[in-house]
Amino acid sequence: PVSKYLYGLIKQNIKNKKSLTFFVVLIISVAMTASYTLGPDAPVLSGDQYQAMQNVWEKEKNNNQKICVLADIYPLVSLEALSARKIVGGGFPINLYFAQPEYIQILNKSKSDPVGAINDAKKLLNVKSCYLVGDYNLPNDSAKFGDIKVYNF
């Protein structure tokens, strides 16, 4: 019904360039608005990831030492909120531009060599232990939430 009406209007006014321009702008505007209504294409924090971060925070909330947590960025943001900013960025250094190049490098290494990545993190942060949180298949996880496991090295 609406499309037939618009088609008829466009067909009648095709000779009028102002009308044609108006309808082209209208159609493009509607298309752009429709694409924005779909929302952002961004990952979200799963319930399992949130529970894993709650687990880490429950274990570390009374610890006054430096804390090391190696996990994806969204779980780390939830840990920052749970800890009221006591643990920011997993304990990794944040540079002048709010970037964490060392964290990114170690996180990428953890995909192929998780134990080596943890050793690098402990050395960088000068800590005795470090949590590894994610979908890793290593022995001796300290907690498991769905596919997400928490390791303390």
Side-chain angles (χ1 to χ4, degrees):
V2 173
S3 60
K4 270 188 171 181
Y5 174 73
L6 285 175
Y7 178 74
L9 259 164
I10 292 171
K11 193 173 180 182
Q12 285 176 356
N13 295 318
I14 198 79
K15 294 178 183 170
N16 186 348
K17 288 188 179 190
K18 284 185 180 181
S19 295
L20 180 62
T21 303
F22 172 77
F23 283 113
V24 168
V25 170
L26 178 70
I27 290 169
I28 291 172
S29 298
V30 168
M32 289 176 64
T33 302
S35 72
Y36 278 109
T37 61
L38 298 174
D41 183 22
V44 294
L45 183 71
S46 73
D48 294 338
Q49 290 171 321
Y50 183 76
Q51 287 179 321
M53 290 298 116
Q54 279 184 314
N55 178 269
V56 170
W57 177 238
E58 285 300 317
K59 292 177 182 175
E60 295 295 328
K61 66 181 174 184
N62 296 321
N63 182 358
N64 292 324
Q65 304 296 318
K66 194 174 212 178
I67 299 167
C68 168
V69 182
L70 187 59
D72 286 328
I73 192 67
Y74 287 100
L76 286 182
V77 171
S78 72
L79 181 61
E80 183 176 335
L82 287 167
S83 69
R85 296 187 49 85
K86 183 178 176 187
I87 305 172
V88 178
F92 289 85
I94 300 173
N95 70 17
L96 178 66
Y97 305 104
F98 300 102
Q100 294 180 291
E102 297 93 348
Y103 157 76
I104 296 297
Q105 183 180 10
I106 292 172
L107 182 65
N108 288 337
K109 182 178 180 176
S110 75
K111 305 301 181 203
S112 61
D113 181 16
V115 175
I118 286 294
N119 290 332
D120 291 351
K122 287 169 36 177
K123 185 177 178 182
L124 173 71
L125 300 177
N126 194 25
V127 293
K128 293 180 181 176
S129 70
C130 190
Y131 288 94
L132 177 65
V133 180
D135 185 15
Y136 297 95
N137 291 319
L138 300 171
N140 303 326
D141 53 356
S142 63
K144 184 176 179 182
F145 304 93
D147 291 338
I148 305 300
K149 298 173 193 94
V150 178
Y151 302 92
N152 190 358
F153 290 91

